[in-house]
Amino acid sequence: MQNVGGAVRSCVLQFSVRGVCPAVIHRKSPAPDLICSAAHHRTLPGGRSPTGVRSLTGIGGGSSGGVGDAAGVTGASGWYSNFSDSTPVHLCEHFLVGVQQVSGLPWWLNIVMATLSVRTLITLPLAAYQLVIISKVEALQAEITELAKRLRYEVSVRARERRWTEKQSRFQFQKNLRRLVSQLYIRDNCHPFKASLLVWVQMPIWISLSLALRNLSLDQSDLHDELAAGGALWFPDLTVPDFTWILPVCLGLTNLLVVEVFSLQRVSVSGFQRLVLNAIRGFSVLMIPIAAAVPSSMALYWFTSSLVGFSHNLLLRSPAVHKVLRLRTLRSETPYRDLLSAFSAKYFK
């Protein structure tokens, strides 16, 4: 789960990694009879053959020994196997390896820094844009209410003239109100669908980076040994699950905290909104055993991403940020104090 208050993105980050980045992600050849003749392959510097190198399109030499074999080892098949061998996942693999080679950081810190950079450079601007759109829509509510009153009167007059039934009057009112509201959205360039752009960009990146880390953590990955020794503290091996459950529990608690902070923004919550919030709470709890069953590299990425998303949520509440974004609706000058008071009143009264 990412940022519940908003919810990843189309940007390719490239790094100059001394020309060896594409070669370090290739899978080990599964068997001699699957290796093509060396006469058909160019030898890389250092004597390595690109037979096992997976191209970004998933086509070409080594595709028979790529993620498809790794997925077969773990029992995955079908669409999951195809998606884990897709171009977005390969791009994320190259991105992660590139960051590590440029920075020289241990893998656990490399995952944290890569997550922070993606969330800050891609999803934070989209979250700010979402906030601007929502502010514009909220600012239109008074005008929409006034238009609805006038339209209701005009429809009632026309209904008496043309002897419309109640059903016909309601249909005419709703149709014309939708048209007027759509015109207002176009005028202010704030169609609510634009507020969902964050989710449509954020989710593919989250999934792609998760699968990329899983691929790199497999036994067939040339980086398996590096990730196995690239952990820290209670998770020294990033290729195995966190058997202490510390990362999974921290992930679940962070996600629940994000949900509760989001729910405190709503003065009145409808039945459907309450149902959605409860479903997200349930999903946050469900993520704990899931995170405990995947490699620690994935659990670390999920926890870091949720933590960064929560910090961005708090940052976007700042009055200074609101002034920079020129939000149309009035916001509290003491958002953090109000949030703490609402939290205390709800859970510690």
Side-chain angles (χ1 to χ4, degrees), residues 121-142:
L121 297 177
I122 300 178
T123 61
L124 179 58
L126 289 176
Y129 177 70
Q130 180 188 64
L131 189 61
V132 171
I133 295 298
I134 293 175
S135 176
K136 289 182 178 181
V137 172
E138 291 176 349
L140 286 175
Q141 295 310 303

Side-chain angles (χ1 to χ4, degrees), residues 188-306:
D188 289 1
N189 191 24
C190 62
H191 194 284
F193 180 77
K194 294 182 177 181
S196 67
L197 180 62
L198 173 64
V199 177
W200 294 110
V201 174
Q202 185 170 259
M203 285 307 298
I205 292 183
W206 185 82
I207 295 173
S208 297
L209 279 172
S210 297
L211 290 178
L213 286 168
R214 177 190 175 278
N215 291 344
L216 294 176
S217 300
L218 292 173
D219 290 338
Q220 285 73 22
S221 171
D222 282 353
L223 293 173
H224 177 271
D225 293 340
E226 291 186 25
L227 269 76
L233 301 176
W234 67 89
F235 54 99
D237 188 347
L238 293 174
T239 64
V240 298
D242 179 10
F243 298 110
T244 67
W245 281 56
I246 295 178
L247 281 176
V249 170
C250 289
L251 168 67
L253 292 177
T254 303
N255 287 337
L256 287 174
L257 183 61
V258 172
V259 175
E260 297 312 311
V261 169
F262 175 74
S263 66
L264 292 175
Q265 300 179 33
R266 307 295 177 182
V267 177
S268 59
V269 180
S270 65
F272 176 75
Q273 290 175 330
R274 188 177 295 107
L275 180 63
V276 172
L277 285 173
N278 289 333
I280 297 176
R281 289 187 181 102
F283 181 74
S284 299
V285 175
L286 181 62
M287 282 296 293
I288 296 177
I290 293 177
V294 300
S296 297
S297 58
M298 293 177 64
L300 177 62
Y301 164 60
W302 292 350
F303 170 58
T304 305
S305 183
S306 293

Side-chain angles (χ1 to χ4, degrees), residues 53-262:
V53 177
R54 298 177 305 154
S55 64
L56 293 181
T57 60
I59 304 173
S63 61
S64 62
V67 177
D69 293 333
V73 173
T74 57
S77 60
W79 66 268
Y80 178 80
S81 176
N82 293 332
F83 189 74
S84 64
D85 196 27
S86 63
T87 299
V89 175
H90 295 340
L91 285 172
C92 290
E93 290 178 6
H94 285 270
F95 166 65
L96 290 168
V97 174
V99 172
Q100 200 280 331
Q101 290 187 340
V102 169
S103 65
L105 297 172
W107 265 100
W108 73 270
L109 188 55
N110 175 65
I111 294 173
V112 172
M113 296 304 297
T115 305
L116 180 61
S117 63
V118 169
R119 295 290 313 232
T120 302
L121 297 177
I122 300 178
T123 61
L124 179 58
L126 289 176
Y129 177 70
Q130 180 188 64
L131 189 61
V132 171
I133 295 298
I134 293 175
S135 176
K136 289 182 178 181
V137 172
E138 291 176 349
L140 286 175
Q141 295 310 303
E143 188 173 354
I144 291 175
T145 301
E146 184 63 27
L147 282 174
K149 292 180 180 178
R150 291 164 50 188
L151 179 61
R152 194 181 303 277
Y153 173 75
E154 293 176 4
V155 169
S156 65
V157 173
R158 187 63 60 87
R160 287 194 297 269
E161 293 177 351
R162 300 191 178 185
R163 297 182 179 179
W164 287 342
T165 63
E166 181 65 25
K167 183 177 181 180
Q168 290 174 321
S169 299
R170 187 165 54 252
F171 172 77
Q172 291 295 330
F173 171 77
Q174 293 175 348
K175 182 182 72 172
N176 286 279
L177 181 61
R178 284 195 298 268
R179 176 178 57 82
L180 293 173
V181 171
S182 179
Q183 291 175 352
L184 291 178
Y185 289 156
I186 294 174
R187 185 195 69 186
D188 289 1
N189 191 24
C190 62
H191 194 284
F193 180 77
K194 294 182 177 181
S196 67
L197 180 62
L198 173 64
V199 177
W200 294 110
V201 174
Q202 185 170 259
M203 285 307 298
I205 292 183
W206 185 82
I207 295 173
S208 297
L209 279 172
S210 297
L211 290 178
L213 286 168
R214 177 190 175 278
N215 291 344
L216 294 176
S217 300
L218 292 173
D219 290 338
Q220 285 73 22
S221 171
D222 282 353
L223 293 173
H224 177 271
D225 293 340
E226 291 186 25
L227 269 76
L233 301 176
W234 67 89
F235 54 99
D237 188 347
L238 293 174
T239 64
V240 298
D242 179 10
F243 298 110
T244 67
W245 281 56
I246 295 178
L247 281 176
V249 170
C250 289
L251 168 67
L253 292 177
T254 303
N255 287 337
L256 287 174
L257 183 61
V258 172
V259 175
E260 297 312 311
V261 169
F262 175 74

Side-chain angles (χ1 to χ4, degrees), residues 4-20:
V4 179
V8 76
R9 42 293 211 47
S10 176
C11 177
V12 179
L13 301 180
Q14 298 177 343
F15 290 84
S16 175
V17 290
R18 302 183 297 277
V20 298

